[in-house]
Amino acid sequence: MSDPTLEKPAAGATSLWSEVRAVMDLVLDFSFQKFVTPHLIRILYALSLIAAVFAALGWMFSGFRVGLFYGLFTLVTGPVAFVIYVLTARVIMEVILAIFQIAEKVRKD
Protein backbone atom coordinates (compact mmCIF):
# COMPACT_ATOMS: atom_id res chain seq x y z
CA MET A 1 0.00 0.00 0.00
CA SER A 2 1.22 3.47 -0.76
CA ASP A 3 1.29 6.33 1.69
CA PRO A 4 -1.41 8.92 0.79
CA THR A 5 0.70 11.78 2.16
CA LEU A 6 3.41 11.05 -0.42
CA GLU A 7 1.04 11.02 -3.37
CA LYS A 8 -0.30 14.56 -3.15
CA PRO A 9 1.64 17.64 -2.01
CA ALA A 10 0.18 19.82 0.70
CA ALA A 11 -2.26 22.51 -0.43
CA GLY A 12 -0.10 25.24 1.08
CA ALA A 13 2.99 24.06 -0.79
CA THR A 14 1.06 23.89 -4.06
CA SER A 15 -0.34 27.37 -3.51
CA LEU A 16 3.10 28.77 -2.65
CA TRP A 17 4.68 27.11 -5.67
CA SER A 18 1.98 28.45 -7.99
CA GLU A 19 2.49 31.93 -6.52
CA VAL A 20 6.25 31.69 -7.09
CA ARG A 21 5.72 30.50 -10.67
CA ALA A 22 3.29 33.37 -11.34
CA VAL A 23 5.75 35.92 -9.98
CA MET A 24 8.60 34.45 -12.03
CA ASP A 25 6.45 34.61 -15.17
CA LEU A 26 5.78 38.28 -14.45
CA VAL A 27 9.43 39.04 -13.66
CA LEU A 28 10.56 37.47 -16.93
CA ASP A 29 7.92 39.34 -18.97
CA PHE A 30 9.94 41.86 -20.99
CA SER A 31 6.85 43.51 -22.48
CA PHE A 32 5.90 45.01 -19.09
CA GLN A 33 2.19 44.51 -19.76
CA LYS A 34 1.44 43.51 -16.18
CA PHE A 35 2.74 44.80 -12.87
CA VAL A 36 4.68 42.41 -10.65
CA THR A 37 4.31 44.45 -7.45
CA PRO A 38 0.68 43.45 -6.71
CA HIS A 39 1.78 39.82 -6.71
CA LEU A 40 4.90 40.47 -4.66
CA ILE A 41 3.11 42.53 -2.02
CA ARG A 42 1.96 39.43 -0.09
CA ILE A 43 5.46 38.02 -0.01
CA LEU A 44 6.96 41.35 1.06
CA TYR A 45 4.36 41.74 3.79
CA ALA A 46 5.01 38.22 5.10
CA LEU A 47 8.77 38.84 5.11
CA SER A 48 8.32 42.14 6.93
CA LEU A 49 6.15 40.43 9.58
CA ILE A 50 8.77 37.73 10.10
CA ALA A 51 11.48 40.39 10.43
CA ALA A 52 9.28 42.34 12.87
CA VAL A 53 8.80 39.28 15.07
CA PHE A 54 12.56 38.66 15.26
CA ALA A 55 13.28 42.34 15.86
CA ALA A 56 10.68 42.59 18.63
CA LEU A 57 11.92 39.43 20.33
CA GLY A 58 15.52 40.60 20.05
CA TRP A 59 14.58 43.98 21.51
CA MET A 60 12.54 42.47 24.34
CA PHE A 61 15.22 40.08 25.55
CA SER A 62 18.30 42.20 24.88
CA GLY A 63 17.21 44.69 27.51
CA PHE A 64 17.94 42.22 30.28
CA ARG A 65 21.65 42.39 29.43
CA VAL A 66 21.67 45.99 30.65
CA GLY A 67 19.67 45.47 33.80
CA LEU A 68 16.41 44.30 35.30
CA PHE A 69 14.56 47.61 35.04
CA TYR A 70 15.61 48.16 31.42
CA GLY A 71 14.73 44.54 30.68
CA LEU A 72 11.22 45.03 32.02
CA PHE A 73 10.94 48.24 30.01
CA THR A 74 11.88 46.46 26.78
CA LEU A 75 9.61 43.54 27.66
CA VAL A 76 6.66 45.96 27.75
CA THR A 77 7.65 48.18 24.82
CA GLY A 78 8.57 45.32 22.48
CA PRO A 79 4.98 44.21 21.78
CA VAL A 80 3.84 47.84 21.51
CA ALA A 81 6.54 48.56 18.93
CA PHE A 82 5.61 45.34 17.09
CA VAL A 83 1.95 46.36 16.82
CA ILE A 84 2.88 49.86 15.64
CA TYR A 85 5.24 48.40 13.04
CA VAL A 86 2.67 45.90 11.78
CA LEU A 87 0.03 48.62 11.41
CA THR A 88 2.49 50.89 9.62
CA ALA A 89 3.69 48.13 7.31
CA ARG A 90 0.11 47.16 6.46
CA VAL A 91 -0.87 50.74 5.64
CA ILE A 92 2.23 51.24 3.48
CA MET A 93 1.56 47.99 1.59
CA GLU A 94 -2.07 48.98 1.03
CA VAL A 95 -1.03 52.41 -0.26
CA ILE A 96 1.41 50.82 -2.68
CA LEU A 97 -1.26 48.38 -3.82
CA ALA A 98 -3.80 51.21 -4.26
CA ILE A 99 -1.34 53.14 -6.42
CA PHE A 100 -0.84 50.13 -8.67
CA GLN A 101 -4.59 49.50 -8.87
CA ILE A 102 -5.10 53.12 -9.93
CA ALA A 103 -2.37 52.72 -12.55
CA GLU A 104 -4.04 49.56 -13.90
CA LYS A 105 -7.43 51.29 -14.14
CA VAL A 106 -5.92 54.32 -15.87
CA ARG A 107 -4.15 52.06 -18.34
CA LYS A 108 -7.41 50.26 -19.23
CA ASP A 109 -9.29 53.53 -19.91
Side-chain angles (χ1 to χ4, degrees), residues 60-75:
M60 288 167 45
F61 295 114
S62 69
F64 286 104
R65 292 183 187 159
V66 176
L68 180 63
F69 180 72
Y70 190 69
L72 292 174
F73 173 75
T74 58
L75 195 64

Side-chain angles (χ1 to χ4, degrees), residues 4 16 19 25 27 32 42 44 50 52 67 70 78 92 102:
L16 178 64
E19 187 75 25
D25 288 342
V27 168
F32 291 93
R42 290 184 202 120
L44 293 174
I50 291 169
Y70 190 69
I92 290 171
I102 291 169

Side-chain angles (χ1 to χ4, degrees), residues 22-43:
V23 168
M24 289 307 297
D25 288 342
L26 289 172
V27 168
L28 298 175
D29 176 28
F30 289 103
S31 64
F32 291 93
Q33 294 298 316
K34 293 185 178 181
F35 294 115
V36 71
T37 305
H39 298 280
L40 283 177
I41 206 83
R42 290 184 202 120
I43 296 169

